[in-house]
Amino acid sequence: MKKLSFINKIIYFINAVFAILLLLSYLLPFASPKTFSVLSVLSLGVAFLILCNALFFLYWLIKLKKQFILSFVVLLIGYIFFGSLYKFSSSKHIENPNNFKVMNYNVRLFNLYNWIPEDSVETNIVDFIRTESPEILSVQEYHPHKNIDLSFFKYKFEKLSGKKTKYGQAIFSQYPIINSGSIEFPETANNAIFADVVKGMDTIRIYNIHLESLRINTKAESLKKENSERLFNRVGTTFKMQQFQAELFLMHKKQCPYKMIICGDFNNTAFSYVYRKIKGNLNDAFIEGGNGFGRTYDFKFFPIRIDFILTDDAFLINRFKAYNAHYSDHYPIMTTLSLE
């Protein structure tokens, strides 16, 4: 430190703060939001902390200063326990005659209230889905819009709520649905649904989960107007609800006798408590078959992945793709699977 200039000493102090915060954030997936609600809010910023530490690491490396070790060690610890935020490997693409595709998409009511000021957003979504042609489609914030025609799927299960505007979750399938149902979350329109589909000789349970929404306007102007204490408390309360919802889901999942695919909008990141609990020993399709950041939400400041497709070991993940189709505040994701 003695050989550092005054400016570099300040930079290193800031570096140390970000490194400590990132190190603490590694404990968040193990910290119950019911007990550490405010602290759990940090899970939303883990990607930001990783990127900042990567920049500090590069800064000191270019300067040929040993201070690069601090961020390097913290990033290495994160990589060992959680994997990389960015996947440098190319996406898997294994051809298999038994392949089938599963897409997850929060469609934001098909732009019912014109959040995106463009014409025909709802039909663009349908055209996109038709082009990509998944065999199974899991949709959050589904609304039976008058311009929506997804009849190219042979089977459907939906669970809608609301008085004036009907909305909820839906599962579409090219395979027969022999059983379906809903896991109700108290005091919210969010829920989880499931459909048991028959593919060949196999029955597969498809779950579609939509955990409690954060209801944060991510535009910079709106965030500046937010009272930070009130925002932290609100997000902390939401994370408590998410934990309770995840617990209800896990009780239902425990009784499932079939091979399983879990899709959904968790409204939380891969560094969160609810993600760790729901994932359990399942495989994350992005980690196994994707590349890049795997961004699924339109957040202006850094890439966020809050939508997931998880599978059990019965499935081989042959491909994963996160699309840039901007027809909602979420981006669609799709994986190609085969039964081993």
Side-chain angles (χ1 to χ4, degrees):
M1 284 285 284
K2 291 181 179 179
K3 295 181 180 180
L4 294 179
S5 67
F6 178 71
I7 295 297
N8 276 336
K9 285 180 181 178
I10 294 174
I11 292 172
Y12 189 64
F13 173 77
I14 298 170
N15 184 174
V17 171
F18 276 81
I20 292 168
L21 287 174
L22 180 56
L23 199 58
L24 288 173
S25 73
Y26 294 153
L27 301 175
L28 295 177
F30 306 93
S32 161
K34 290 180 181 178
T35 307
F36 304 99
S37 61
V38 176
L39 185 63
S40 65
V41 176
L42 273 177
S43 66
L44 293 176
V46 175
F48 173 72
L49 292 173
I50 290 173
L51 291 172
C52 286
N53 275 278
L55 290 174
F56 281 123
F57 166 72
L58 291 174
Y59 175 80
W60 297 117
L61 195 62
I62 292 169
K63 291 275 188 180
L64 300 178
K65 299 289 186 181
K66 64 181 180 181
Q67 278 71 21
F68 80 87
I69 295 172
L70 175 61
S71 284
F72 174 75
V73 169
V74 173
L75 289 169
L76 182 62
I77 292 170
Y79 179 79
I80 292 170
F81 287 99
F82 298 101
S84 175
L85 174 67
Y86 184 94
K87 289 203 66 187
F88 291 94
S89 59
S90 60
S91 178
K92 283 184 182 178
H93 191 181
I94 302 171
E95 293 297 337
N96 186 317
N98 295 318
N99 278 351
F100 65 100
K101 295 180 287 188
V102 178
M103 178 181 285
N104 187 78
Y105 201 172
N106 182 323
V107 297
R108 203 187 193 190
L109 305 181
F110 295 105
N111 202 43
L112 180 64
Y113 297 110
N114 296 310
W115 292 288
I116 298 175
E118 297 176 13
D119 295 330
S120 305
V121 169
E122 70 281 3
T123 53
N124 287 338
I125 292 174
V126 173
D127 290 342
F128 167 80
I129 294 169
R130 183 186 287 108
T131 300
E132 297 304 316
S133 61
E135 278 74 23
I136 295 170
L137 171 67
S138 168
V139 180
Q140 298 84 46
E141 297 190 32
Y142 173 78
H143 167 65
H145 196 291
K146 63 181 181 180
N147 295 335
I148 296 303
D149 181 10
L150 291 168
S151 61
F152 48 89
F153 286 97
K154 297 176 183 177
Y155 306 93
K156 174 180 75 169
F157 172 66
E158 63 182 34
K159 183 68 167 64
L160 307 179
S161 61
K163 295 179 179 179
K164 293 183 179 180
T165 302
K166 294 289 183 182
Y167 65 98
Q169 279 55 264
I171 296 171
F172 295 84
S173 174
Q174 301 294 8
Y175 307 126
I177 295 176
I178 59 169
N179 184 36
S180 58
S182 174
I183 306 164
E184 298 301 315
F185 298 156
E187 301 178 3
T188 180
N190 296 63
N191 72 338
I193 63 174
F194 68 91
D196 296 334
V197 306
V198 176
K199 182 183 185 301
M201 302 296 291
D202 295 289
T203 300
I204 303 169
R205 168 69 57 86
I206 309 296
Y207 278 110
N208 176 355
I209 309 174
H210 190 198
L211 295 182
E212 193 65 24
S213 303
L214 295 172
R215 296 182 178 85
I216 297 175
N217 189 328
T218 57
K219 291 183 179 178
E221 316 83 67
S222 300
L223 287 173
K224 287 176 183 177
K225 294 176 184 178
E226 283 270 15
N227 179 288
S228 58
E229 183 178 354
R230 192 181 303 127
L231 177 64
F232 265 70
N233 288 334
R234 188 171 79 241
V235 174
T237 300
T238 298
F239 283 178
K240 287 181 185 178
M241 292 182 68
Q242 288 182 355
Q243 179 181 347
F244 178 59
Q245 292 165 357
E247 289 167 352
L248 291 176
F249 166 74
L250 289 170
M251 284 191 289
H252 192 279
K253 169 182 172 286
K254 193 175 181 181
Q255 307 302 318
C256 176
Y258 304 122
K259 302 174 178 68
M260 187 185 309
I261 301 170
I262 298 175
C263 304
D265 170 11
F266 292 8
N267 274 305
N268 218 320
T269 70
F271 302 97
S272 66
Y273 178 87
V274 291
Y275 170 84
R276 184 180 72 87
K277 283 294 188 179
I278 292 173
K279 181 179 179 296
N281 60 358
L282 300 174
N283 299 310
D284 186 321
F286 166 72
I287 293 173
E288 300 299 322
N291 63 2
F293 286 108
R295 176 187 65 165
T296 71
Y297 186 70
D298 184 21
F299 190 63
K300 305 297 181 186
F301 306 102
F302 49 89
I304 284 185
R305 190 168 72 95
I306 62 175
D307 303 86
F308 304 93
I309 301 175
L310 311 174
T311 75
D312 62 33
D313 288 334
F315 299 92
L316 185 65
I317 297 168
N318 294 327
R319 192 182 187 191
F320 177 90
K321 185 171 183 179
Y323 294 87
N324 287 320
H326 190 205
Y327 304 130
S328 166
D329 55 344
H330 290 251
Y331 297 98
I333 57 176
M334 188 163 74
T335 187
T336 302
L337 306 173
S338 61
L339 280 164
E340 292 194 280

